[in-house]
């Protein structure tokens, strides 16, 4: 049997969608405006080249991009409040220079002149004061520095859309916390909006609250590409739904 090798995978190249390293963290000196990206290697977004960053690099999100560590990292505009900024490793194929760029677009960063090869490796979010929100990255997992309350109220026997604090533009596995109280009793949980009618019982995660007893449940659920889940309950139950963190596949298979 002869197996045809895809054109996107050459003998000398990394496997398609390959990515290792490129973990990020907020710069200790100026954590609200600067991000450090660790060394790593990956296949490009189009699977047509390898991207290798041999040493860590720090970029400033409050300045327009300029080559090199310690310089600006934003592709265009200014750092804005309550916005996701997506981290791309970029390469100039003529010079072989590899750098890092941040963009408000998850799919179409404005690349500097000469840089035509890229791969998204992470995303960060700003708060209401245009500061990079605290987080910890471990591999593909993000843990928020503080819990984000996405919904507080009574969940009844009808679907309630709950937007989670996760990057927009792809389905995301989200770690959440549900805190319940009040006299209500019954099943409660979150589900992937793409799974269908909540009344069909297709929950990814469910807890069973007893009457007049407070309870907490920690679990995982997928969002849709707009960062939304669906909350549902058997009866009116007072609930607080919070985002703990999420897993970003970073384009890997």
């Amino acid at each position: 049997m002869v197996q045809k090798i895809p054109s996107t995978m050459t003998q000398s190249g990394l496997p398609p969608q390959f990515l290792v390293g490129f973990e990020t963290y907020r710069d200790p000196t100026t954590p609200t405006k600067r991000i450090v990206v660790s060394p790593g290697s990956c296949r490009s977004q189009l699977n047509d080249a390898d991207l290798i960053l041999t040493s860590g690099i720090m970029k400033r999100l409050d300045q327009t991009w300029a080559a090199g560590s310690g310089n600006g990292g934003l592709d265009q505009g200014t750092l804005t409040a309550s916005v996701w900024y997506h981290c791309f490793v970029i390469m100039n194929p003529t010079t072989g220079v590899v750098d890092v760029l941040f963009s408000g677009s998850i799919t179409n960063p404005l690349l500097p002149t000469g840089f035509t090869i890229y791969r998204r490796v992470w995303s960060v979010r700003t708060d209401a004061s245009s500061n990079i929100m605290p987080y910890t990255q471990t591999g593909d997992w993000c843990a928020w520095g503080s819990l984000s309350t996405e919904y507080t109220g009574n969940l009844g026997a009808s679907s309630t859309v709950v937007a989670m604090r996760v990057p927009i533009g792809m389905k995301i596995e989200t770690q959440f916390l549900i805190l319940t109280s009040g006299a209500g009793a019954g099943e409660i949980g979150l589900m992937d909006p793409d799974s269908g009618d909540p009344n069909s019982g297709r929950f990814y995660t469910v807890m069973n609250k007893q009457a007049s007893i407070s309870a907490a449940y920690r679990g995982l659920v997928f969002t849709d590409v707009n960062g939304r889940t669906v909350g549902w309950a058997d009866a009116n139950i007072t609930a607080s739904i919070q985002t703990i963190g999420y897993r970003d596949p970073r384009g890997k298979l």
Side-chain angles (χ1 to χ4, degrees), residues 8 15 36 38 81 89 137 156 222:
T8 55
V36 179
S38 67
V89 177
Q137 180 185 356
F222 274 94

Side-chain angles (χ1 to χ4, degrees), residues 81-165:
S82 305
V83 170
W84 284 99
Y85 287 95
H86 308 286
C87 177
F88 293 86
V89 177
I90 59 176
M91 184 173 75
N92 183 324
T94 301
T95 63
V97 171
V98 176
D99 211 303
V100 168
L101 178 76
F102 286 83
S103 175
S105 172
I106 194 171
T107 55
N108 296 301
L110 182 62
L111 297 172
T113 301
F115 287 83
T116 59
I117 298 170
Y118 62 95
R119 169 77 175 268
R120 189 190 72 88
V121 297
W122 196 244
S123 300
V124 298
R125 183 173 170 83
T126 55
D127 61 17
S129 300
S130 301
N131 294 321
I132 301 169
M133 302 182 72
Y135 72 94
T136 299
Q137 180 185 356
T138 305
D140 296 339
W141 282 95
C142 171
W144 288 116
S146 59
L147 299 184
S148 172
T149 300
E150 320 301 359
Y151 173 86
T152 300
N154 291 323
L155 285 173
S158 60
S159 60
T160 299
V161 175
V162 180
M164 310 300 284
R165 187 196 284 170

